[in-house]
Short mmCIF file of all heavy atoms in Angstrom, two decimals:
data_model
loop_
_atom_site.label_atom_id
_atom_site.label_comp_id
_atom_site.label_asym_id
_atom_site.label_seq_id
_atom_site.Cartn_x
_atom_site.Cartn_y
_atom_site.Cartn_z
N SER Q 73 -124.20 -61.24 147.97
CA SER Q 73 -124.22 -60.49 146.76
C SER Q 73 -124.01 -59.00 146.87
O SER Q 73 -123.77 -58.30 145.89
CB SER Q 73 -125.51 -60.73 146.01
OG SER Q 73 -126.67 -60.34 146.88
N ASP Q 74 -123.95 -58.48 148.17
CA ASP Q 74 -123.80 -57.11 148.45
C ASP Q 74 -122.42 -56.89 149.14
O ASP Q 74 -122.21 -55.70 149.63
CB ASP Q 74 -124.88 -56.54 149.44
CG ASP Q 74 -126.21 -56.75 148.89
OD1 ASP Q 74 -126.45 -56.44 147.59
OD2 ASP Q 74 -127.17 -57.22 149.45
N TRP Q 75 -121.57 -57.80 148.95
CA TRP Q 75 -120.24 -57.72 149.56
C TRP Q 75 -119.15 -58.01 148.82
O TRP Q 75 -119.25 -58.87 147.81
CB TRP Q 75 -120.34 -58.71 150.77
CG TRP Q 75 -119.09 -58.93 151.57
CD1 TRP Q 75 -118.48 -58.21 152.62
CD2 TRP Q 75 -118.09 -60.19 151.40
NE1 TRP Q 75 -117.25 -58.73 152.96
CE2 TRP Q 75 -117.02 -59.88 152.30
CE3 TRP Q 75 -118.08 -61.15 150.48
CZ2 TRP Q 75 -116.08 -60.80 152.37
CZ3 TRP Q 75 -117.05 -62.04 150.51
CH2 TRP Q 75 -115.96 -61.82 151.50
N GLN Q 76 -118.05 -57.29 149.06
CA GLN Q 76 -116.70 -57.73 148.28
C GLN Q 76 -115.60 -57.84 149.28
O GLN Q 76 -115.56 -56.94 150.22
CB GLN Q 76 -116.33 -56.69 147.19
CG GLN Q 76 -117.21 -56.80 145.96
CD GLN Q 76 -116.91 -58.09 145.25
OE1 GLN Q 76 -115.80 -58.62 145.17
NE2 GLN Q 76 -117.83 -58.80 144.57
N PRO Q 77 -114.72 -58.94 149.25
CA PRO Q 77 -113.74 -59.01 150.30
C PRO Q 77 -112.66 -57.95 150.13
O PRO Q 77 -112.25 -57.58 149.03
CB PRO Q 77 -113.08 -60.47 150.02
CG PRO Q 77 -113.45 -60.70 148.53
CD PRO Q 77 -114.79 -60.08 148.31
N ALA Q 78 -112.14 -57.37 151.16
CA ALA Q 78 -111.01 -56.42 151.26
C ALA Q 78 -109.68 -57.26 151.16
O ALA Q 78 -109.69 -58.54 151.53
CB ALA Q 78 -111.11 -55.65 152.55
N LYS Q 79 -108.62 -56.57 150.81
CA LYS Q 79 -107.35 -57.21 150.77
C LYS Q 79 -106.91 -57.50 152.18
O LYS Q 79 -107.30 -56.87 153.11
CB LYS Q 79 -106.43 -56.27 150.12
CG LYS Q 79 -106.60 -56.08 148.66
CD LYS Q 79 -105.59 -55.10 148.02
CE LYS Q 79 -105.72 -55.05 146.43
NZ LYS Q 79 -104.64 -54.28 145.87
N ASN Q 80 -106.13 -58.54 152.26
CA ASN Q 80 -105.55 -59.03 153.62
C ASN Q 80 -106.60 -59.26 154.65
O ASN Q 80 -106.28 -59.16 155.75
CB ASN Q 80 -104.57 -57.94 154.00
CG ASN Q 80 -103.46 -57.69 152.96
OD1 ASN Q 80 -103.05 -58.63 152.39
ND2 ASN Q 80 -103.14 -56.48 152.84
N THR Q 81 -107.80 -59.71 154.20
CA THR Q 81 -108.77 -59.97 155.25
C THR Q 81 -108.58 -61.35 155.81
O THR Q 81 -108.08 -62.33 155.20
CB THR Q 81 -110.22 -60.09 154.63
OG1 THR Q 81 -110.53 -58.68 154.15
CG2 THR Q 81 -111.28 -60.34 155.64
N GLU Q 82 -108.72 -61.41 157.17
CA GLU Q 82 -108.66 -62.78 157.93
C GLU Q 82 -110.08 -63.40 157.94
O GLU Q 82 -110.98 -62.83 158.57
CB GLU Q 82 -108.08 -62.69 159.25
CG GLU Q 82 -106.63 -62.12 159.33
CD GLU Q 82 -106.03 -62.28 160.69
OE1 GLU Q 82 -106.25 -61.25 161.49
OE2 GLU Q 82 -105.44 -63.20 161.07
N PHE Q 83 -110.20 -64.52 157.30
CA PHE Q 83 -111.48 -65.14 157.23
C PHE Q 83 -111.65 -66.15 158.25
O PHE Q 83 -110.78 -66.96 158.71
CB PHE Q 83 -111.71 -65.65 155.83
CG PHE Q 83 -111.85 -64.69 154.69
CD1 PHE Q 83 -110.65 -64.53 153.87
CD2 PHE Q 83 -112.84 -63.94 154.52
CE1 PHE Q 83 -110.71 -63.61 152.90
CE2 PHE Q 83 -112.88 -62.91 153.57
CZ PHE Q 83 -111.87 -62.82 152.71
N LEU Q 84 -112.98 -66.39 158.69
CA LEU Q 84 -113.32 -67.48 159.58
C LEU Q 84 -114.58 -68.25 158.91
O LEU Q 84 -115.28 -67.63 158.31
CB LEU Q 84 -113.80 -66.84 160.96
CG LEU Q 84 -112.96 -65.82 161.50
CD1 LEU Q 84 -113.64 -65.13 162.78
CD2 LEU Q 84 -111.63 -66.40 162.02
N LEU Q 85 -114.41 -69.52 159.08
CA LEU Q 85 -115.52 -70.31 158.52
C LEU Q 85 -116.52 -70.87 159.37
O LEU Q 85 -116.34 -71.30 160.50
CB LEU Q 85 -114.87 -71.69 157.81
CG LEU Q 85 -115.76 -72.54 157.13
CD1 LEU Q 85 -116.09 -71.87 155.70
CD2 LEU Q 85 -115.22 -73.90 156.79
N ALA Q 86 -117.78 -70.43 159.23
CA ALA Q 86 -119.04 -70.83 159.98
C ALA Q 86 -119.28 -72.31 159.58
O ALA Q 86 -118.81 -72.84 158.71
CB ALA Q 86 -120.16 -70.03 159.87
N GLY Q 87 -120.16 -72.90 160.37
CA GLY Q 87 -120.67 -74.26 160.17
C GLY Q 87 -120.09 -75.31 161.20
O GLY Q 87 -118.95 -75.22 161.59
N ILE Q 88 -121.01 -76.18 161.58
CA ILE Q 88 -120.56 -77.12 162.57
C ILE Q 88 -120.50 -78.59 161.85
O ILE Q 88 -119.42 -79.32 162.08
CB ILE Q 88 -121.66 -77.30 163.72
CG1 ILE Q 88 -121.38 -76.08 164.66
CG2 ILE Q 88 -121.25 -78.47 164.60
CD1 ILE Q 88 -122.42 -75.90 165.70
N SER Q 89 -121.49 -78.96 161.09
CA SER Q 89 -121.48 -80.18 160.51
C SER Q 89 -120.51 -80.18 159.36
O SER Q 89 -120.24 -79.18 158.62
CB SER Q 89 -122.92 -80.60 159.97
OG SER Q 89 -123.21 -79.95 158.83
N PRO Q 90 -119.76 -81.45 159.07
CA PRO Q 90 -118.99 -81.38 157.85
C PRO Q 90 -119.57 -81.00 156.55
O PRO Q 90 -119.07 -80.23 155.76
CB PRO Q 90 -118.60 -82.89 157.86
CG PRO Q 90 -118.68 -83.43 159.26
CD PRO Q 90 -119.90 -82.68 159.76
N ASN Q 91 -120.82 -81.36 156.32
CA ASN Q 91 -121.59 -81.00 155.11
C ASN Q 91 -121.65 -79.50 154.95
O ASN Q 91 -121.39 -78.90 153.91
CB ASN Q 91 -122.87 -81.65 154.97
CG ASN Q 91 -123.47 -81.61 153.69
OD1 ASN Q 91 -122.82 -81.71 152.66
ND2 ASN Q 91 -124.79 -81.32 153.71
N THR Q 92 -122.07 -78.93 156.09
CA THR Q 92 -122.26 -77.45 156.02
C THR Q 92 -120.87 -76.65 155.83
O THR Q 92 -120.86 -75.81 154.99
CB THR Q 92 -122.85 -76.96 157.36
OG1 THR Q 92 -124.14 -77.50 157.44
CG2 THR Q 92 -123.05 -75.43 157.29
N LYS Q 93 -119.91 -77.15 156.48
CA LYS Q 93 -118.54 -76.55 156.25
C LYS Q 93 -117.99 -76.70 154.88
O LYS Q 93 -117.45 -75.77 154.33
CB LYS Q 93 -117.62 -77.14 157.32
CG LYS Q 93 -117.88 -76.68 158.69
CD LYS Q 93 -116.73 -77.32 159.83
CE LYS Q 93 -116.91 -78.67 160.03
NZ LYS Q 93 -116.00 -79.27 161.08
N ARG Q 94 -118.18 -77.86 154.23
CA ARG Q 94 -117.82 -78.03 152.92
C ARG Q 94 -118.52 -77.12 151.98
O ARG Q 94 -117.93 -76.58 151.08
CB ARG Q 94 -117.91 -79.55 152.56
CG ARG Q 94 -116.88 -80.37 153.05
CD ARG Q 94 -116.83 -81.81 152.17
NE ARG Q 94 -118.14 -82.29 152.00
CZ ARG Q 94 -118.84 -83.15 152.80
NH1 ARG Q 94 -118.27 -83.40 154.03
NH2 ARG Q 94 -119.99 -83.57 152.64
N LYS Q 95 -119.82 -77.02 152.18
CA LYS Q 95 -120.59 -76.25 151.29
C LYS Q 95 -120.28 -74.70 151.44
O LYS Q 95 -120.12 -74.08 150.35
CB LYS Q 95 -122.10 -76.53 151.74
CG LYS Q 95 -122.71 -77.79 151.11
CD LYS Q 95 -124.19 -77.83 151.45
CE LYS Q 95 -124.79 -79.02 150.97
NZ LYS Q 95 -126.30 -79.14 151.18
N ILE Q 96 -120.10 -74.19 152.59
CA ILE Q 96 -119.67 -72.91 152.75
C ILE Q 96 -118.39 -72.55 152.16
O ILE Q 96 -118.04 -71.72 151.37
CB ILE Q 96 -119.68 -72.49 154.21
CG1 ILE Q 96 -121.14 -72.51 154.77
CG2 ILE Q 96 -119.14 -71.12 154.51
CD1 ILE Q 96 -121.27 -72.26 156.21
N PHE Q 97 -117.41 -73.46 152.41
CA PHE Q 97 -115.95 -73.32 151.76
C PHE Q 97 -116.15 -73.29 150.32
O PHE Q 97 -115.56 -72.50 149.73
CB PHE Q 97 -115.10 -74.40 152.32
CG PHE Q 97 -113.76 -74.32 151.72
CD1 PHE Q 97 -112.83 -73.47 151.86
CD2 PHE Q 97 -113.50 -75.29 150.62
CE1 PHE Q 97 -111.66 -73.22 151.21
CE2 PHE Q 97 -112.25 -75.22 149.94
CZ PHE Q 97 -111.28 -74.20 150.23
N GLN Q 98 -116.84 -74.26 149.76
CA GLN Q 98 -116.91 -74.37 148.26
C GLN Q 98 -117.58 -73.14 147.62
O GLN Q 98 -117.17 -72.54 146.65
CB GLN Q 98 -117.54 -75.56 147.79
CG GLN Q 98 -116.70 -76.92 148.04
CD GLN Q 98 -115.41 -76.95 147.23
OE1 GLN Q 98 -115.35 -76.40 146.15
NE2 GLN Q 98 -114.45 -77.59 147.80
N PHE Q 99 -118.69 -72.66 148.35
CA PHE Q 99 -119.36 -71.41 147.85
C PHE Q 99 -118.55 -70.36 147.74
O PHE Q 99 -118.43 -69.63 146.73
CB PHE Q 99 -120.49 -71.27 148.89
CG PHE Q 99 -121.42 -70.09 148.35
CD1 PHE Q 99 -122.42 -70.33 147.52
CD2 PHE Q 99 -121.11 -68.75 148.68
CE1 PHE Q 99 -123.37 -69.40 147.14
CE2 PHE Q 99 -121.96 -67.70 148.31
CZ PHE Q 99 -122.95 -67.98 147.46
N PHE Q 100 -117.72 -70.05 148.85
CA PHE Q 100 -116.93 -68.77 148.86
C PHE Q 100 -115.69 -68.96 148.01
O PHE Q 100 -115.16 -68.03 147.47
CB PHE Q 100 -116.67 -68.35 150.24
CG PHE Q 100 -117.84 -67.67 150.89
CD1 PHE Q 100 -118.60 -68.30 151.66
CD2 PHE Q 100 -118.12 -66.32 150.60
CE1 PHE Q 100 -119.79 -67.90 152.26
CE2 PHE Q 100 -119.27 -65.82 151.20
CZ PHE Q 100 -120.08 -66.48 152.04
N LEU Q 101 -115.20 -70.28 147.74
CA LEU Q 101 -114.08 -70.49 146.85
C LEU Q 101 -114.57 -70.15 145.39
O LEU Q 101 -113.77 -69.43 144.72
CB LEU Q 101 -113.64 -71.82 147.04
CG LEU Q 101 -112.52 -72.31 145.99
CD1 LEU Q 101 -111.16 -71.54 146.26
CD2 LEU Q 101 -112.28 -73.84 146.19
N GLU Q 102 -115.75 -70.59 145.09
CA GLU Q 102 -116.21 -70.47 143.67
C GLU Q 102 -116.60 -69.02 143.41
O GLU Q 102 -116.35 -68.58 142.33
CB GLU Q 102 -117.45 -71.34 143.49
CG GLU Q 102 -117.02 -72.84 143.47
CD GLU Q 102 -118.22 -73.81 143.63
OE1 GLU Q 102 -119.37 -73.30 143.45
OE2 GLU Q 102 -117.94 -75.01 143.68
N HIS Q 103 -117.20 -68.28 144.31
CA HIS Q 103 -117.76 -66.97 144.06
C HIS Q 103 -116.60 -65.94 144.33
O HIS Q 103 -116.70 -64.81 143.66
CB HIS Q 103 -118.89 -66.72 145.04
CG HIS Q 103 -120.14 -67.24 144.58
ND1 HIS Q 103 -120.41 -68.64 144.76
CD2 HIS Q 103 -121.23 -66.85 143.92
CE1 HIS Q 103 -121.62 -68.92 144.26
NE2 HIS Q 103 -122.20 -67.88 143.82
N PHE Q 104 -115.72 -66.10 145.23
CA PHE Q 104 -114.71 -65.02 145.46
C PHE Q 104 -113.21 -65.61 145.56
O PHE Q 104 -112.40 -64.86 145.99
CB PHE Q 104 -115.20 -64.51 146.93
CG PHE Q 104 -116.39 -63.85 146.99
CD1 PHE Q 104 -117.49 -64.61 147.53
CD2 PHE Q 104 -116.70 -62.54 146.52
CE1 PHE Q 104 -118.78 -64.04 147.60
CE2 PHE Q 104 -117.96 -62.05 146.63
CZ PHE Q 104 -118.90 -62.62 147.19
N THR Q 105 -113.05 -66.76 145.18
CA THR Q 105 -111.68 -67.38 145.13
C THR Q 105 -110.97 -67.31 146.55
O THR Q 105 -109.81 -67.09 146.62
CB THR Q 105 -110.83 -66.83 144.01
OG1 THR Q 105 -110.56 -65.51 144.25
CG2 THR Q 105 -111.50 -66.96 142.57
N ILE Q 106 -111.74 -67.54 147.55
CA ILE Q 106 -111.15 -67.49 148.90
C ILE Q 106 -110.71 -68.91 149.22
O ILE Q 106 -111.65 -69.74 149.30
CB ILE Q 106 -112.18 -67.07 149.96
CG1 ILE Q 106 -112.63 -65.52 149.64
CG2 ILE Q 106 -111.64 -67.07 151.37
CD1 ILE Q 106 -113.77 -65.00 150.42
N ASP Q 107 -109.41 -69.08 149.34
CA ASP Q 107 -108.90 -70.57 149.41
C ASP Q 107 -108.50 -70.76 150.94
O ASP Q 107 -108.75 -70.01 151.76
CB ASP Q 107 -107.75 -70.67 148.44
CG ASP Q 107 -106.54 -69.83 148.79
OD1 ASP Q 107 -106.56 -69.21 149.84
OD2 ASP Q 107 -105.71 -69.63 147.86
N VAL Q 108 -108.00 -72.07 151.08
CA VAL Q 108 -107.84 -72.57 152.52
C VAL Q 108 -106.82 -71.55 153.14
O VAL Q 108 -106.98 -71.39 154.52
CB VAL Q 108 -107.27 -74.01 152.42
CG1 VAL Q 108 -106.77 -74.45 153.81
CG2 VAL Q 108 -108.23 -74.92 151.91
N GLN Q 109 -105.79 -71.15 152.52
CA GLN Q 109 -104.77 -70.36 153.24
C GLN Q 109 -105.21 -69.02 153.84
O GLN Q 109 -104.59 -68.42 154.60
CB GLN Q 109 -103.60 -70.00 152.27
CG GLN Q 109 -102.67 -71.32 152.01
CD GLN Q 109 -103.41 -72.33 150.98
OE1 GLN Q 109 -104.31 -71.84 150.16
NE2 GLN Q 109 -103.01 -73.60 150.98
N GLN Q 110 -106.33 -68.64 153.32
CA GLN Q 110 -106.93 -67.23 153.81
C GLN Q 110 -107.70 -67.31 155.09
O GLN Q 110 -108.12 -66.30 155.68
CB GLN Q 110 -107.69 -66.56 152.61
CG GLN Q 110 -106.90 -66.16 151.50
CD GLN Q 110 -107.70 -65.71 150.36
OE1 GLN Q 110 -108.12 -66.45 149.48
NE2 GLN Q 110 -108.13 -64.44 150.34
#
């Protein structure tokens, strides 16, 4: 809530278990529209 993505940022996804990875990906997709290609 205290962060905004900069342009052309290279993102890395944390998480080991499939469930955690899916949740993190969906969270940042919904809140910041960060998609797979980024």
Side-chain angles (χ1 to χ4, degrees):
S73 60
D74 302 318
W75 171 83
Q76 283 294 325
K79 291 183 178 180
N80 303 317
T81 298
E82 293 188 274
F83 295 106
L84 312 173
L85 184 74
I88 292 179
S89 74
N91 189 45
T92 299
K93 288 185 284 188
R94 281 198 313 275
K95 285 183 176 179
I96 293 171
F97 173 73
Q98 289 297 330
F99 183 92
F100 286 96
L101 177 63
E102 292 169 6
H103 285 76
F104 300 100
T105 63
I106 299 170
D107 61 21
V108 172
Q109 288 74 27
Q110 293 172 269

